[in-house]
């Protein structure tokens, strides 16, 4: 049995101010084993991105627990969470989030440098080469295609060798073919490095490539393929 890398207990969060507050996460329980790929689907506004932000330690819960790799993020202060995230969690966004006035190489190397990782430019060059961008190291984001920009973002996310890779609609801004190439890259990196991959997507085909699918609706988990499987197994055992 693989070890549990994510353990979310009764996770509850309301966002916004009094005039416009939204109960976004309504007591979510979720356990994910290390090395799994998990596709998260659900209607727009159902809380998928917020769930990922909580798992990345970028949003703090109002109540409940979040344990990543046995570290209780809910019990850490902001600096401790940021330090943990930098070492253990890679994040990829729909809109790439690259720094416009830095080259591809700098976008990957500078966060490593800020985290005092030795040889940041060497690591950045290696990561960019491994995502197929050896010929684009000195290009600025504005000089790269959408697919290339997402490759830079993936290289940046992978550079600290995180155990957990979180991607929020990583193919959402890309055409179908480019989106498929980016998805192929994410899955091949996940397998190659034995990472856990959490992927929010509108694309059911992409979610179905994951070893587990979760459907979120209105701040709750409405359907979880792992729960369905374990229920089917226990029903078979009873029958
Ligand atoms: N900072 C915020 N303040 C108030 N409401 C928010 C905030 N962020 C998200 N929401 C609301 O929370 C709900 C869930 O948002 P989100 O997690 O982005 O959904 P999804 O990614 O599934 O589309 C939405 O109704 C959204 O309007
Ligand atoms: Mg979203």
């Amino acid at each position: 049995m693989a070890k549990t890398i994510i353990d979310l207990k009764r996770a509850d969060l309301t966002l916004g101010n009094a005039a416009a507050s939204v109960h976004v996460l309504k007591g979510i329980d979720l356990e994910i084993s290390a090395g799994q790929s998990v596709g998260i689907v659900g209607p727009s506004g159902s809380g998928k991105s917020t769930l990922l932000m909580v798992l990345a330690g970028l949003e703090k819960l109002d109540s409940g627990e979040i344990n990543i790799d046995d570290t209780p993020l809910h019990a850490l202060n902001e600096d401790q969470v940021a330090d943990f995230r930098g070492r253990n969690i890679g994040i990829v966004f729909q809109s790439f989030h690259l720094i416009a006035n830095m080259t591809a190489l700098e976008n990957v190397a500078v966060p490593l440098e800020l985290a005092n990782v030795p040889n940041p430019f060497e690591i950045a060059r290696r990561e960019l080469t491994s995502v197929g961008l050896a010929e684009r190291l000195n290009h600025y984001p504005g000089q790269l295609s959408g697919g290339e920009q997402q490759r830079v973002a993936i290289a940046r996310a992978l550079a600290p060798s995180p155990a957990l890779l979180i991607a929020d609609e990583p193919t959402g801004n890309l055409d179908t073919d480019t989106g498929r190439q980016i998805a192929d890259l994410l899955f091949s990196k996940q397998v190659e490095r034995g990472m856990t991959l959490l992927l929010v997507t509108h694309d059911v085909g992409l979610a179905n490539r994951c070893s587990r699918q979760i459907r979120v609706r209105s701040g709750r988990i409405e359907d979880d393929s792992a729960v369905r499987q374990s229920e089917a197994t226990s029903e078979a055992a009873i029958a």
Side-chain angles (χ1 to χ4, degrees), residues 63-206:
S63 64
E65 288 185 16
I66 170 165
N67 301 288
I68 308 269
D69 220 356
D70 294 326
T71 301
L73 294 196
H74 54 275
L76 303 184
N77 68 34
E78 230 170 274
D79 287 346
Q80 291 169 321
V81 170
D83 181 61
F84 180 85
R85 180 173 53 244
R87 283 182 291 109
N88 298 285
I89 305 175
I91 311 172
V92 176
F93 299 95
Q94 175 173 356
S95 50
F96 323 132
H97 288 206
L98 300 176
I99 297 173
N101 62 1
M102 286 190 191
T103 63
L105 189 66
E106 289 164 346
N107 264 282
V108 179
V110 169
L112 297 172
E113 197 171 34
L114 292 173
N116 294 316
V117 173
N119 309 316
F121 283 84
E122 204 178 301
I123 295 171
R125 186 171 288 113
R126 190 174 69 218
E127 290 295 348
L128 285 162
T129 301
S130 90
V131 298
L133 291 180
E135 310 298 319
R136 297 286 184 277
L137 301 181
N138 298 312
H139 282 54
Y140 289 89
Q143 301 171 319
L144 297 170
S145 70
E148 288 170 338
Q149 290 183 61
Q150 195 59 303
R151 285 174 192 272
V152 176
I154 291 170
R156 178 180 60 186
L158 294 174
S161 297
L164 176 60
L165 184 62
I166 287 178
D168 194 353
E169 309 259 12
T171 63
N173 276 9
L174 305 172
D175 63 68
T176 309
D177 283 349
T178 308
R180 189 172 308 115
Q181 288 162 14
I182 290 297
D184 289 347
L185 177 63
L186 287 172
F187 285 113
S188 75
K189 290 294 175 191
Q190 186 236 336
V191 171
E192 176 190 313
R193 302 195 182 192
M195 292 183 299
T196 308
L197 174 64
L198 251 66
L199 189 83
V200 163
T201 179
H202 274 112
D203 179 345
V204 175
L206 180 52

Side-chain angles (χ1 to χ4, degrees), residues 14-17 20-25 42-52 59 168-169 200 202 216:
T14 295
L15 289 175
N17 51 31
S21 81
V22 180
H23 193 184
V24 188
L25 302 181
S44 182
S46 57
K48 306 180 299 295
S49 292
T50 306
L51 178 61
L52 288 194
E59 246 346 313
D168 194 353
E169 309 259 12
V200 163
H202 274 112
V216 177

